[in-house]
């Protein structure tokens, strides 16, 4: 049951934590609005709302499966593994966005 709950809330919690850290590094309020949430980034890559829903649902299912498979390692190691995979996924997403947008428009497109 806890693995299912973790799969449901992991992406929003990780995404929110990532944004708070990025905003604090940029010396902005952690509560300031922007379009850097994962669904905005996927939309900017050209995915439709339906495709974004499918991608995030598959990601949540993968988190559940990885969480179940990692249970013998213990909760801390399972969370660490999921955190590393999530960070890697966001790095890949940022890389894809940087490749899609020309250098001149990168800052305006990614950080508004």
């Amino acid at each position: 049951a806890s693995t299912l709950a973790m799969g449901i809330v992991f992406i929003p919690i990780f995404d929110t934590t990532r944004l708070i850290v990025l905003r604090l590094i940029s010396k902005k309020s952690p509560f300031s609005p922007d379009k850097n949430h994962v669904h905005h980034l996927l939309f900017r890559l050209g995915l439709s709302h339906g495709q974004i829903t499918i991608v995030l649902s598959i990601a949540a299912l993968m988190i559940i499966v990885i969480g179940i498979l990692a249970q013998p390692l213990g909760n801390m190691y399972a969370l660490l593994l999921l955190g590393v995979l999530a960070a890697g996924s966001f790095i890949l997403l940022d890389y894809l966005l940087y490749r899609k947008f020309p250098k001149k428009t990168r800052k305006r497109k990614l950080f508004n």
Side-chain angles (χ1 to χ4, degrees):
S2 64
T3 307
L4 179 62
M6 183 174 59
I8 293 169
V9 300
F10 187 83
I11 293 172
I13 289 174
F14 187 86
D15 188 37
T16 302
T17 304
R18 179 185 67 86
L19 284 177
I20 289 171
V21 170
L22 288 175
R23 289 173 186 161
L24 290 174
I25 289 171
S26 301
K27 300 190 186 314
K28 294 180 182 177
S29 167
F31 306 108
S32 63
D34 61 20
K35 293 190 177 181
N36 286 318
H37 281 283
V38 66
H39 59 279
H40 291 291
L41 301 178
L42 292 171
F43 188 71
R44 223 174 292 149
L45 276 177
L47 275 65
S48 69
H49 291 288
Q51 291 170 326
I52 293 169
T53 301
I54 291 169
V55 166
L56 293 178
S57 297
I58 290 171
L61 286 172
M62 288 174 46
I63 289 168
I64 292 168
V65 169
I66 292 169
I68 290 169
L69 294 175
Q71 275 183 341
L73 300 174
N75 288 338
M76 288 304 294
Y77 287 113
L79 268 174
L80 180 64
L81 174 65
L82 288 171
V84 168
L85 291 173
S89 298
F90 278 103
I91 290 169
L92 175 64
L93 183 58
D94 283 340
Y95 171 75
L96 293 172
L97 281 165
Y98 282 130
R99 285 195 55 199
K100 181 172 177 142
F101 294 108
K103 195 172 190 173
K104 292 179 184 176
T105 62
R106 184 178 302 158
K107 186 169 183 137
R108 182 173 51 86
K109 291 285 187 182
L110 293 178
F111 301 106
N112 280 342

